[in-house]
Amino acid sequence: QYDAIRQVFQTQEHSSPYMEKYVGEALYQMRFEDDAIVRTKKRFKEMTDHPYTTLWEDWRIGGSGGGTINHAWCGGALTLLSQYGAGVAPVTPGYATYHVLPQMGPLKHIKTTVPSVKGNIDLELRNEADAFSLKLNSPANTTAVVGIPKRADVAIARIQSNGKTVWENGQPKQNLRGLNFLESTANYIKFSVDPGTWSFQAELRAIKKTHAATSR
C-alpha cells in the first residue's frame, strides 16, 4: 500500500517533532527519499530559520505542546540523513560488517563522519547528472558493503574503483585486492571492500526513450 501511505504523508501533518522521525524513516524504507527531504525541510523550516541553533520539543516555542527549546529526541531527521541519506548502517553487531547504501534523493553532496566502535567511517558522496562518486575511509577490522545507486533516468556505463575499472556494460570486471563484486540488485551495484581508503566513480549515461509505433 506504498502509494496510499505516500499520499497520506504528502497531505497530513499531525506528528510531533519526535514522531516525525518515523514518518521520514517510512519514506526512506519505501524509497521515497525525495519526499523525505521535502517533508523534513517543510516541517523543520521554522526551527532551522530561527536564530536558535537547537531543535525544539514542540513545533513552535511556547506552542500547544510546550516543552523545551533544546530537545535531543527531536533530531531524528539527522540520524536518517546518516543511516539512509548517506546510507551508513551496521549489518552485523559492532560494525564488523556495515553497508554504505546511499539514498541521496535531491541532495548533490554529502560529507559525513560516522563514529563506530571500530573507528570513524569517513564518507563523501557526490551525485551529478552524468556521474556519481563515493570516497570511503573504512576502519580496521571491518568489511564494508558499498552500493553504487541506480537511478531510473540513467544507466551505469562504467564503475571505477581506485582508478581501475570494476564494472562495465552490465558486467563485473577485474577484482582489486581487497575488493570483490557482490551483486547487482534493483537499486544498487554492490561491492565488498576491506579496511582502507576507497574511491568509486560511476559514469552515467542517459537512457534513451523509445516510442512504440501505433497504427489505425
Side-chain angles (χ1 to χ4, degrees):
Q1 305 298 319
Y2 284 4
D3 288 338
I5 297 170
R6 183 186 192 186
Q7 182 65 24
V8 171
F9 290 158
Q10 287 178 333
T11 56
Q12 304 299 315
E13 297 176 351
H14 305 291
S15 58
S16 67
Y18 167 63
M19 292 301 295
E20 192 67 23
K21 186 258 186 181
Y22 300 100
V23 176
E25 186 158 33
L27 287 167
Y28 276 112
Q29 290 188 358
M30 293 186 292
R31 304 203 67 83
F32 298 137
E33 49 264 36
D34 288 63
D35 290 23
I37 295 296
V38 168
R39 182 177 171 109
T40 298
K41 285 184 175 182
K42 180 182 179 183
R43 295 288 270 157
F44 286 88
K45 178 175 172 55
E46 187 168 346
M47 294 188 205
T48 55
D49 286 351
H50 198 276
Y52 294 160
T53 60
T54 55
L55 296 174
W56 315 332
E57 188 173 3
D58 195 11
W59 290 114
R60 289 176 176 80
I61 296 175
S64 59
T68 72
I69 61 168
N70 186 7
H71 216 72
W73 75 3
C74 299
L78 300 174
T79 69
L80 296 180
L81 284 171
S82 179
Q83 181 181 356
Y84 294 97
V88 179
V91 175
T92 60
Y95 278 82
T97 300
Y98 69 94
H99 68 218
V100 182
L101 301 177
Q103 292 179 246
M104 295 181 71
L107 302 179
K108 302 301 182 186
H109 180 223
I110 294 176
K111 186 176 183 180
T112 185
T113 296
V114 179
S116 80
V117 295
K118 293 289 196 295
N120 287 343
I121 299 167
D122 300 312
L123 178 67
E124 184 169 9
L125 306 168
R126 292 188 183 275
N127 194 22
E128 302 171 358
D130 59 354
F132 172 84
S133 66
L134 182 154
K135 294 180 180 179
L136 172 68
N137 186 24
S138 190
N141 302 312
T142 64
T143 298
V145 176
V146 175
I148 306 302
K150 296 180 178 179
R151 289 177 10 204
D153 59 327
V154 295
I156 299 176
R158 181 183 298 107
I159 300 172
Q160 290 188 320
S161 180
N162 290 359
K164 302 292 185 181
T165 299
V166 294
W167 173 275
E168 191 170 22
N169 297 325
Q171 296 294 328
K173 295 295 183 181
Q174 60 180 324
N175 285 329
L176 302 181
R177 184 176 182 179
L179 177 148
N180 290 288
F181 168 75
L182 294 178
E183 61 178 341
S184 177
T185 69
N187 299 308
Y188 299 97
I189 298 172
K190 296 182 181 180
F191 303 86
S192 68
V193 297
D194 289 348
T197 300
W198 295 93
S199 66
F200 290 85
Q201 294 82 34
E203 177 186 331
L204 309 179
R205 294 177 182 170
I207 297 174
K208 295 181 179 179
K209 296 181 178 180
T210 59
H211 301 278
T214 59
S215 60
R216 297 189 180 186

